[in-house]
Amino acid sequence: MRRSLVITVVIVLLLVFGFIYYAIDPATSTVFPRCTFLTLTGYKCPGCGSQRAIHALLNGDIKGALGYNAMLIVAIPWIALCLFAEGQRTRRPRLYERLNAPLLIWLFLVAVLAWWVLRNIFNW
Amino acid sequence: MQYWINHNGVQSGPVDAEGIKELGLTSRAYVWSQGMSDWVRITQVPELEGLYEVVDEPVTTGQPLQPQNITQVQQPTSTQPVNAQPLNEQPNEAPEPCPPTNLVWAIISTLLCCLPTGIVAIIYSLKVTNKYREGDIEGAKRASEIGAWWCIITIILGILSMPLISLMQLSVMP
């Protein structure tokens, strides 16, 4: 009961936000929030460009999406798989343990840090 | 992979997966192979799935022999499990699943909330899996809780700060 409520809420939120981000372009609109880290420090954070990337992706512009935040677009299938495993943690502990292997988390950690540094150097 | 088998108190092995099929085992059998820390129910070894008959009655006589009996039955001793005792105490105990690593939430908060604190949450999910694999369930649970708080903090701060910062910028710019 509680489980199905959570899933329903998540799907409704995804649909609502999906529509907002599909319909309005964050690059030209002022209603979308700006990145705190970028505003405060002047440096991009690993998540900068995510809103524009999602807008581009929802409009079928994969190349544009990769240009705004390549890491997010590459990570989306992995995030989806991890979310599935999270919901099935007690039913499929083996899948959960494999996805949460130390090596994979290390790889992601290094990838995020590298992405953070490199995108500020090369202005990605 | 070579397996040692204990079925209804009778020990056999080493055999490979093909040999296990011929033994006509039931799901009450226990297996051990090199690399395992202890005997496990055959149902917990995915590689052996379908090679035994599934019966759902509780285990009554299927407990493995004492370690000293095992070493009497066969050599080499170096490949025997170090300790087969815990199984005799709690034969039906399932291994505890890994506590939540919160990895997905850490990733989502790092990539969507614009705050570097998401990185801390990722480090904590690493801590959870490492402790869990070392067998430190309590430590893993503690790391899991702290990591969850980092995710929550990151997400709340992200949601609160982004509109605030945008408003401040708008009021400065025009």
PDB file of all heavy atoms in Angstrom, chain A residues 27-41:
ATOM      1  N   ALA A  27      17.035  27.740 -20.990  1.00  0.00           N
ATOM      2  CA  ALA A  27      18.097  28.611 -21.475  1.00  0.00           C
ATOM      3  C   ALA A  27      17.576  30.030 -21.698  1.00  0.00           C
ATOM      4  O   ALA A  27      18.319  31.005 -21.564  1.00  0.00           O
ATOM      5  CB  ALA A  27      18.690  28.056 -22.765  1.00  0.00           C
ATOM      6  N   THR A  28      16.284  30.162 -22.036  1.00  0.00           N
ATOM      7  CA  THR A  28      15.761  31.488 -22.344  1.00  0.00           C
ATOM      8  C   THR A  28      14.785  31.990 -21.280  1.00  0.00           C
ATOM      9  O   THR A  28      14.494  33.183 -21.232  1.00  0.00           O
ATOM     10  CB  THR A  28      15.024  31.469 -23.699  1.00  0.00           C
ATOM     11  OG1 THR A  28      14.056  30.415 -23.657  1.00  0.00           O
ATOM     12  CG2 THR A  28      15.998  31.222 -24.841  1.00  0.00           C
ATOM     13  N   SER A  29      14.290  31.088 -20.442  1.00  0.00           N
ATOM     14  CA  SER A  29      13.296  31.500 -19.457  1.00  0.00           C
ATOM     15  C   SER A  29      13.968  31.883 -18.138  1.00  0.00           C
ATOM     16  O   SER A  29      15.009  31.348 -17.777  1.00  0.00           O
ATOM     17  CB  SER A  29      12.309  30.358 -19.217  1.00  0.00           C
ATOM     18  OG  SER A  29      11.551  30.621 -18.071  1.00  0.00           O
ATOM     19  N   THR A  30      13.340  32.791 -17.399  1.00  0.00           N
ATOM     20  CA  THR A  30      13.934  33.224 -16.133  1.00  0.00           C
ATOM     21  C   THR A  30      13.298  32.536 -14.927  1.00  0.00           C
ATOM     22  O   THR A  30      13.743  32.739 -13.809  1.00  0.00           O
ATOM     23  CB  THR A  30      13.797  34.739 -15.953  1.00  0.00           C
ATOM     24  OG1 THR A  30      12.443  35.083 -16.206  1.00  0.00           O
ATOM     25  CG2 THR A  30      14.718  35.479 -16.872  1.00  0.00           C
ATOM     26  N   VAL A  31      12.246  31.714 -15.166  1.00  0.00           N
ATOM     27  CA  VAL A  31      11.591  31.092 -14.000  1.00  0.00           C
ATOM     28  C   VAL A  31      12.414  29.940 -13.440  1.00  0.00           C
ATOM     29  O   VAL A  31      12.170  29.501 -12.329  1.00  0.00           O
ATOM     30  CB  VAL A  31      10.179  30.562 -14.333  1.00  0.00           C
ATOM     31  CG1 VAL A  31       9.257  31.701 -14.650  1.00  0.00           C
ATOM     32  CG2 VAL A  31      10.226  29.553 -15.450  1.00  0.00           C
ATOM     33  N   PHE A  32      13.396  29.450 -14.190  1.00  0.00           N
ATOM     34  CA  PHE A  32      14.157  28.303 -13.702  1.00  0.00           C
ATOM     35  C   PHE A  32      15.307  28.749 -12.803  1.00  0.00           C
ATOM     36  O   PHE A  32      15.966  29.750 -13.073  1.00  0.00           O
ATOM     37  CB  PHE A  32      14.715  27.489 -14.873  1.00  0.00           C
ATOM     38  CG  PHE A  32      13.640  26.734 -15.579  1.00  0.00           C
ATOM     39  CD1 PHE A  32      12.995  27.298 -16.658  1.00  0.00           C
ATOM     40  CD2 PHE A  32      13.264  25.481 -15.130  1.00  0.00           C
ATOM     41  CE1 PHE A  32      11.989  26.611 -17.296  1.00  0.00           C
ATOM     42  CE2 PHE A  32      12.264  24.800 -15.779  1.00  0.00           C
ATOM     43  CZ  PHE A  32      11.613  25.359 -16.863  1.00  0.00           C
ATOM     44  N   PRO A  33      15.527  28.007 -11.720  1.00  0.00           N
ATOM     45  CA  PRO A  33      16.583  28.388 -10.790  1.00  0.00           C
ATOM     46  C   PRO A  33      17.968  28.226 -11.415  1.00  0.00           C
ATOM     47  O   PRO A  33      18.178  27.390 -12.280  1.00  0.00           O
ATOM     48  CB  PRO A  33      16.407  27.413  -9.618  1.00  0.00           C
ATOM     49  CG  PRO A  33      15.640  26.271 -10.180  1.00  0.00           C
ATOM     50  CD  PRO A  33      14.790  26.834 -11.265  1.00  0.00           C
ATOM     51  N   ARG A  34      18.872  29.076 -10.950  1.00  0.00           N
ATOM     52  CA  ARG A  34      20.250  29.011 -11.421  1.00  0.00           C
ATOM     53  C   ARG A  34      21.086  28.185 -10.442  1.00  0.00           C
ATOM     54  O   ARG A  34      20.722  28.040  -9.277  1.00  0.00           O
ATOM     55  CB  ARG A  34      20.821  30.411 -11.494  1.00  0.00           C
ATOM     56  CG  ARG A  34      21.009  30.932 -12.885  1.00  0.00           C
ATOM     57  CD  ARG A  34      21.083  32.438 -12.865  1.00  0.00           C
ATOM     58  NE  ARG A  34      19.739  32.980 -13.081  1.00  0.00           N
ATOM     59  CZ  ARG A  34      19.252  33.219 -14.286  1.00  0.00           C
ATOM     60  NH1 ARG A  34      19.970  32.993 -15.352  1.00  0.00           N
ATOM     61  NH2 ARG A  34      18.040  33.692 -14.440  1.00  0.00           N
ATOM     62  N   CYS A  35      22.222  27.707 -10.911  1.00  0.00           N
ATOM     63  CA  CYS A  35      23.069  26.890 -10.055  1.00  0.00           C
ATOM     64  C   CYS A  35      23.686  27.726  -8.926  1.00  0.00           C
ATOM     65  O   CYS A  35      24.287  28.772  -9.169  1.00  0.00           O
ATOM     66  CB  CYS A  35      24.191  26.257 -10.871  1.00  0.00           C
ATOM     67  SG  CYS A  35      25.329  25.322  -9.861  1.00  0.00           S
ATOM     68  N   THR A  36      23.505  27.241  -7.697  1.00  0.00           N
ATOM     69  CA  THR A  36      24.028  27.960  -6.538  1.00  0.00           C
ATOM     70  C   THR A  36      25.554  28.050  -6.572  1.00  0.00           C
ATOM     71  O   THR A  36      26.132  29.112  -6.351  1.00  0.00           O
ATOM     72  CB  THR A  36      23.618  27.212  -5.261  1.00  0.00           C
ATOM     73  OG1 THR A  36      22.233  26.923  -5.336  1.00  0.00           O
ATOM     74  CG2 THR A  36      23.902  28.049  -4.041  1.00  0.00           C
ATOM     75  N   PHE A  37      26.150  26.908  -6.863  1.00  0.00           N
ATOM     76  CA  PHE A  37      27.608  26.833  -6.831  1.00  0.00           C
ATOM     77  C   PHE A  37      28.225  27.766  -7.872  1.00  0.00           C
ATOM     78  O   PHE A  37      29.170  28.508  -7.591  1.00  0.00           O
ATOM     79  CB  PHE A  37      28.045  25.385  -7.071  1.00  0.00           C
ATOM     80  CG  PHE A  37      29.505  25.145  -6.875  1.00  0.00           C
ATOM     81  CD1 PHE A  37      30.041  25.036  -5.604  1.00  0.00           C
ATOM     82  CD2 PHE A  37      30.358  25.030  -7.970  1.00  0.00           C
ATOM     83  CE1 PHE A  37      31.392  24.815  -5.422  1.00  0.00           C
ATOM     84  CE2 PHE A  37      31.709  24.810  -7.784  1.00  0.00           C
ATOM     85  CZ  PHE A  37      32.225  24.699  -6.506  1.00  0.00           C
ATOM     86  N   LEU A  38      27.650  27.763  -9.085  1.00  0.00           N
ATOM     87  CA  LEU A  38      28.163  28.605 -10.167  1.00  0.00           C
ATOM     88  C   LEU A  38      28.016  30.079  -9.804  1.00  0.00           C
ATOM     89  O   LEU A  38      28.926  30.882 -10.007  1.00  0.00           O
ATOM     90  CB  LEU A  38      27.411  28.298 -11.464  1.00  0.00           C
ATOM     91  CG  LEU A  38      27.786  29.136 -12.675  1.00  0.00           C
ATOM     92  CD1 LEU A  38      29.197  28.824 -13.124  1.00  0.00           C
ATOM     93  CD2 LEU A  38      26.824  28.886 -13.829  1.00  0.00           C
ATOM     94  N   THR A  39      26.866  30.439  -9.235  1.00  0.00           N
ATOM     95  CA  THR A  39      26.624  31.831  -8.888  1.00  0.00           C
ATOM     96  C   THR A  39      27.572  32.301  -7.788  1.00  0.00           C
ATOM     97  O   THR A  39      28.084  33.416  -7.823  1.00  0.00           O
ATOM     98  CB  THR A  39      25.172  32.000  -8.414  1.00  0.00           C
ATOM     99  OG1 THR A  39      24.314  31.292  -9.298  1.00  0.00           O
ATOM    100  CG2 THR A  39      24.784  33.459  -8.410  1.00  0.00           C
ATOM    101  N   LEU A  40      27.799  31.436  -6.804  1.00  0.00           N
ATOM    102  CA  LEU A  40      28.617  31.833  -5.655  1.00  0.00           C
ATOM    103  C   LEU A  40      30.100  31.848  -5.994  1.00  0.00           C
ATOM    104  O   LEU A  40      30.831  32.717  -5.513  1.00  0.00           O
ATOM    105  CB  LEU A  40      28.376  30.880  -4.475  1.00  0.00           C
ATOM    106  CG  LEU A  40      27.010  30.998  -3.796  1.00  0.00           C
ATOM    107  CD1 LEU A  40      26.903  29.998  -2.665  1.00  0.00           C
ATOM    108  CD2 LEU A  40      26.791  32.408  -3.259  1.00  0.00           C
ATOM    109  N   THR A  41      30.560  30.866  -6.786  1.00  0.00           N
ATOM    110  CA  THR A  41      32.001  30.723  -6.986  1.00  0.00           C
ATOM    111  C   THR A  41      32.459  31.118  -8.388  1.00  0.00           C
ATOM    112  O   THR A  41      33.639  31.378  -8.588  1.00  0.00           O
ATOM    113  CB  THR A  41      32.452  29.276  -6.749  1.00  0.00           C
ATOM    114  OG1 THR A  41      31.826  28.455  -7.738  1.00  0.00           O
ATOM    115  CG2 THR A  41      32.060  28.783  -5.370  1.00  0.00           C
TER     116      THR A  41
END
